[in-house]
Amino acid sequence: MSHDPAAATSPSETASADATASFGFRDVPLTEKQHLVDDVFHKVASRYDVMNDAMSGGLHRLWKDAMVAKLSPPKLGRRPYEVLDMAGGTGDIAFRIVEKSEKKARVTVSDINASMLGVGRERAEKRGLSANLDFVEANAEELPFESNRFDAYTIAFGIRNVPRIDKALREAYRVLKPGGRLLVLEFSAVTVPGLDKIYDAFSFHLIPLMGKAIAGDAEPYRYLVESIRKFPPQEKFAAMIRDAGFARVDYTNFTGGIAALHSGWKI
Ligand code: SAM
């Protein structure tokens, strides 16, 4: 019997009306989390890229470069290499994939938030990359794409915002071709003794202050920091990826575990 993770039902889907999800350090009704997350990204969209550089001191660029290096999109082939960059926001991962493939890859940038995608479209235009990109507004939990379509599914700093992570992972599995690859870049658990204290002080004190100074609002950045702490650590998240049906699951820590890149294959 073939294993069809997409057909499986998780506890979160059958959960009662009073099921909750974490929105930062707060528990909120599961059905409300997405609206709250959407508010955050509508608010930050126009300052999103500048804040990413400020908050990470540019490190996010290196992590994203490493993700795309690991994907290694082919530069040759009879047909375009098709990637779904989910929660693709303002396009950072998609642009890198198109450039790395020397414009052989075709990337669908999909995000639930029209404001983030709007910024992405403008940036793509300015960089001359629009011909290789499609922008599709969609929820990672219910993708409007046929099964077995994509060669790769990437998601960077997106999955922790999705209320039902298990559902999103099963959708990733469904839309990938057999032999397709999943890559998830996400903030993770710090593994270097001592770094955790410095990182906490920086995250909880400086990042909201930067948000206030640069983007005019500290609150969305408090959510971003808190949501990182609520995301499952490396091994637990790897187990969730396996539960969705992926094989050969592994991960690489970046910068002492501040971020981690998880990989899995649909075989
Ligand atoms: N991938 C981009 C990057 O690395 O710069 C953007 C990451 S941003 C921190 C998180 C993105 O996740 C936002 O654009 C947000 O709208 C998107 N998002 C949140 N929930 C989502 C969902 N259920 N489905 C699709 N996208 C979602």
Side-chain angles (χ1 to χ4, degrees):
M1 200 177 77
S2 71
H3 174 54
D4 180 4
T9 309
S10 76
S12 58
E13 281 163 83
T14 54
S16 60
D18 54 0
T20 59
S22 64
F23 176 73
F25 288 162
R26 270 194 296 144
D27 281 336
V28 298
L30 185 63
T31 47
E32 262 178 45
K33 171 165 173 164
Q34 191 69 63
H35 301 299
L36 293 165
V37 167
D38 294 347
D39 278 351
V40 166
F41 288 102
H42 283 305
K43 278 188 193 141
V44 305
S46 63
R47 308 297 287 160
Y48 177 79
D49 295 302
V50 73
M51 270 302 286
N52 263 354
D53 279 334
M55 287 187 299
S56 73
L59 272 176
H60 76 108
R61 293 172 181 253
L62 303 182
W63 299 332
K64 287 170 176 168
D65 286 347
M67 181 189 207
V68 175
K70 182 139 181 167
L71 181 67
S72 188
K75 300 183 175 91
L76 298 168
R78 272 178 289 124
R79 52 160 193 87
Y81 183 73
E82 268 215 81
V83 183
L84 174 60
D85 182 40
M86 199 60 221
T90 61
D92 268 3
I93 297 299
F95 302 163
R96 280 171 171 76
I97 294 171
V98 171
E99 280 161 359
K100 182 103 184 155
S101 73
E102 295 173 0
K103 297 199 173 173
K104 295 296 181 304
R106 167 131 226 116
V107 184
T108 301
V109 186
S110 186
D111 198 288
I112 201 165
N113 194 300
S115 307
M116 294 291 280
L117 285 178
V119 175
R121 265 194 207 95
E122 274 174 29
R123 293 176 81 211
E125 200 68 44
K126 281 190 194 132
R127 287 164 193 234
L129 299 175
S130 298
N132 290 68
L133 299 169
D134 295 304
F135 289 85
V136 177
E137 200 177 315
N139 186 341
E141 294 179 4
E142 281 172 67
L143 296 177
F145 308 111
E146 72 266 32
S147 301
N148 306 314
R149 169 170 165 187
F150 294 99
D151 296 291
Y153 174 113
T154 53
I155 183 165
F157 306 114
I159 197 120
R160 76 177 190 284
N161 299 292
V162 175
R164 298 168 189 86
I165 292 174
D166 51 351
K167 208 174 168 194
L169 289 172
R170 289 204 309 280
E171 275 292 83
Y173 188 91
R174 181 183 68 75
V175 300
L176 278 170
K177 288 178 183 158
R181 185 172 213 182
L182 168 83
L183 283 178
V184 185
L185 178 60
E186 191 48 271
F187 291 106
S188 202
V190 171
T191 54
V192 176
L195 179 61
D196 49 350
K197 303 244 166 13
I198 300 166
Y199 181 51
D200 273 359
F202 173 75
S203 309
F204 288 107
H205 301 296
L206 271 180
I207 286 185
L209 287 179
M210 284 180 185
K212 180 93 187 128
I214 300 172
D217 193 353
E219 228 26 65
Y221 297 94
R222 243 175 231 122
Y223 159 73
L224 293 178
V225 170
E226 291 177 5
S227 64
I228 292 168
R229 299 311 190 280
K230 298 296 284 187
F231 189 69
Q234 289 85 334
E235 281 298 334
K236 200 170 169 195
F237 185 54
M240 291 172 76
I241 295 175
R242 278 186 209 102
D243 285 348
F246 289 95
R248 291 167 56 199
V249 175
D250 64 18
Y251 64 84
T252 310
N253 284 329
F254 295 150
T255 321
I258 290 179
L261 177 63
H262 282 76
S263 163
W265 296 84
K266 175 170 173 177
I267 294 181

